Amino acid sequence: MSETKSTKRGRVVAAVTATLAMSALSAGFTATSASAAELNASSMCQGTASGALMKWGPVSKQCSYTSPASGWKGKLKVTWNVQSGTNQYACVEARMGKARNPDKWQSVGCGQSGSGTVKWPSNTASNVEVRVQARPNALLANVDYSI
């Protein structure tokens, strides 16, 4: 399946945003999460995930993150929303995707938008893994998420 220009551009923007966020964090700054209604450049990373009706879609691994060594509360906020202008309804799960023994999936909500936290110990580098499942009113659900 070929990617659209929009998808490629979104991945480039996500990679640049993640790089800038990592630079800011290593310099001692903190980043804030975007609201579900408006994912923007203030988030550390943005990604997309899709799922079919009552079936978990492929795992999205577009965002990696390193938690600070000290002063960290042990949680990472994931904010998401379905494609605007649609009647899609999704359930979204996320986890810390370590190479060995990934964490258990944690619900970050169901509906058209939402947010939730994923356990993330201090001084830990890993990918945020996100998966989506469409619910009865739509055959597919496409979700944009940010950390």
Side-chain angles (χ1 to χ4, degrees), residues 14-99:
V16 169
T17 303
T19 302
L20 292 173
M22 289 300 148
S23 297
L25 285 171
S26 65
F29 298 104
T30 58
T32 59
S33 294
S35 70
E38 185 178 303
L39 300 174
N40 59 40
S42 70
S43 59
M44 292 183 285
C45 181
Q46 298 175 6
T48 59
S50 299
L53 179 62
M54 304 303 287
K55 191 169 198 159
W56 292 111
V59 175
S60 172
K61 299 178 182 182
Q62 296 172 344
C63 295
S64 63
Y65 184 75
T66 302
S67 57
S70 63
W72 180 250
K73 303 238 188 251
K75 295 179 182 180
L76 186 67
K77 185 175 182 178
V78 178
T79 302
W80 63 273
N81 62 282
V82 297
Q83 283 181 325
S84 61
T86 68
N87 67 345
Q88 296 174 1
Y89 185 94
C91 286
V92 180
E93 291 184 337
R95 71 179 177 186
M96 185 172 129
K98 301 176 284 190

Side-chain angles (χ1 to χ4, degrees), residues 78-141:
V78 178
T79 302
W80 63 273
N81 62 282
V82 297
Q83 283 181 325
S84 61
T86 68
N87 67 345
Q88 296 174 1
Y89 185 94
C91 286
V92 180
E93 291 184 337
R95 71 179 177 186
M96 185 172 129
K98 301 176 284 190
R100 291 186 181 176
N101 304 317
D103 288 355
K104 291 182 179 182
W105 288 104
Q106 300 168 56
S107 174
V108 289
C110 291
Q112 291 190 311
S113 65
S115 66
T117 56
V118 177
K119 294 177 185 175
W120 205 281
S122 64
N123 203 25
T124 305
S126 186
N127 281 335
V128 175
E129 294 183 345
V130 176
R131 67 182 184 177
V132 174
Q133 185 180 90
R135 290 302 170 116
N137 64 341
L139 295 176
L140 296 172

